[in-house]
Structure formats: structure tokens, C-alpha cells
Amino acid sequence: MKRLSLFLLLFILVTGGWASTAAAQVTVTFYSHGWGIGPGGVTYFPHAFIKVAGTPLAGGEAVDRTFGFTATDLTTAMTNRPGIVKPADPRYIDDSTPHFSVVATDEQYAVLLEKIRWWMTPEGSVYNLKTRNCIHFVAEMAEILGLKPGNTRTWKPVVFMTDTEKKNPGKLTIITAGAKARPETAPPPEAAALQEKGPDGN
């Protein structure tokens, strides 16, 4: 009986370790937000970003970070200018909408981090509102995770997110809870006209 009890104890410890390892994985969640007014009256612009959270199966440090690509100077964003990869602004992150998530393999996670680092280099950090904006950034992250990106020829992140969901049935987990607390604010008239035309001017 003692030998059997010892065996059962070892079995529980070992299989418990397997369960713990299996639960350790990195999840990438895709977010968007539209025009809005944050605390203190600050205006924030439409944006797409990702949240990377979890621990690789092979072990290593846990991660819980957000990444998005934006212009360093919005007044010149229509031409090629330096951009920056930065965390989502905490002033509006709670008002953003999580659309879907994907569980990344360790290999995908490593490639994802490598690609994010590349977007931080002089070559990779070129920003252009028409051709290389936050939507293009998250589209590349989606491709790394084995997804077919949605329409990137839009200035509305929610359009990209919805289209990506439609193009990848069964490949992602659609998030139905966690919608933003505040309704989207209407953009200024000049921005609304530009947004309706889209990057192609149509």
C-alpha cells in the first residue's frame, strides 16, 4: 500500500507538472479604438494594437505588454516620416475593444518579437498614414500567427478587425465581452471627410 501510495503521489506530481506546462502559453489579442475623448479632455485618434500575454511553453519570462505603431508627428503623417512602436496609451486602453485572440506557438512568439524589434529599427520605423500605419503593423503580426489579414486599405481599425475575423473562421477566438466603456466620439469634420475617402482617396 505504501508503495502504491508513493506511486500515486509521484503520478499526480508528474502529471500536475504536465498540466502546468500545457497551460503556459502566449496569447496575442488584437484591439482597436476609434475617435474618443479620454480623461482630462484629451482627444485620441483611431488606433490598432496588440496585447501579448503569457509564458512560452519552453519556459522563460512571462510577458504582459501592448504594442502599437504610430507617427511621431501627426502633422506630417501623410508622407514618409519616422514612426515608433510603443505601448497603448493607458488613458484610452480601457476604452479600446478586444476583437479576437490567437494562441501563439513558441516559434511564432519568437518571430513576433523579432518582427516587432525590426519595426523599431530605422528601416522598419517608417510611418506613412496611407501606406504604413498601425493597421499595417498589426496585419504583419496577424500573418506571423498564421492568419489572413483583413482589409488594410482603410483608416478604420474596426474595419480591419472585422474583416480579419471573417477571413479566418476557426483560426481565432472572437472576443464578445470587454467592449469599450465609452461610445466612440465623432471625428472633427475635416478628419471625417478624410476618413471617408480612405487612403486611396475614394
Side-chain angles (χ1 to χ4, degrees):
M1 287 296 293
K2 289 183 178 180
R3 183 174 297 179
L4 179 60
S5 298
L6 180 60
F7 174 81
L8 289 175
L9 177 60
L10 289 173
F11 178 80
I12 292 171
L13 289 173
V14 171
T15 55
W18 290 343
S20 176
T21 301
Q25 225 162 344
V26 174
T27 298
V28 183
T29 305
F30 289 70
Y31 285 77
S32 79
H33 70 74
W35 292 90
I37 305 296
V42 62
T43 300
Y44 50 78
F45 299 86
H47 191 45
F49 62 94
I50 60 171
K51 179 179 181 179
V52 183
T55 306
L57 282 173
E61 293 186 3
V63 61
D64 187 1
R65 300 179 63 186
T66 57
F67 301 93
F69 184 63
T70 188
T72 55
D73 182 359
L74 290 172
T75 63
T76 59
M78 298 294 285
T79 57
N80 286 356
R81 288 291 185 271
I84 185 172
V85 175
K86 59 187 296 187
D89 191 322
R91 292 176 297 181
Y92 63 63
I93 191 171
D94 289 340
D95 292 337
S96 301
T97 301
H99 291 270
F100 56 85
S101 64
V102 179
V103 176
T105 65
D106 284 4
E107 292 76 14
Q108 289 172 331
Y109 174 54
V111 175
L112 189 83
L113 293 183
E114 182 179 353
K115 178 60 70 172
I116 290 172
R117 285 192 289 267
W118 181 80
W119 277 75
M120 297 177 178
T121 66
E123 179 187 3
S125 61
V126 177
Y127 185 97
N128 186 303
L129 184 58
K130 287 187 175 183
T131 61
R132 207 162 186 281
N133 55 42
C134 62
I135 293 175
H136 297 92
F137 173 78
V138 298
E140 283 205 10
M141 304 304 120
E143 285 186 316
I144 291 170
L145 296 170
L147 302 180
K148 183 177 181 179
N151 177 23
T152 58
R153 305 185 75 82
T154 175
W155 281 332
K156 297 180 180 180
V158 66
V159 171
F160 167 80
M161 298 295 180
T162 302
D163 198 32
T164 301
E165 291 176 3
K166 292 178 180 178
K167 291 183 176 181
N168 296 275
K171 292 184 178 181
L172 45 77
T173 300
I174 296 177
I175 300 172
T176 57
K180 56 181 179 291
R182 299 187 184 94
E184 182 175 342
T185 300
E190 61 275 13
L194 187 64
Q195 185 170 266
E196 286 303 317
K197 289 183 178 180
D200 296 327
N202 300 320

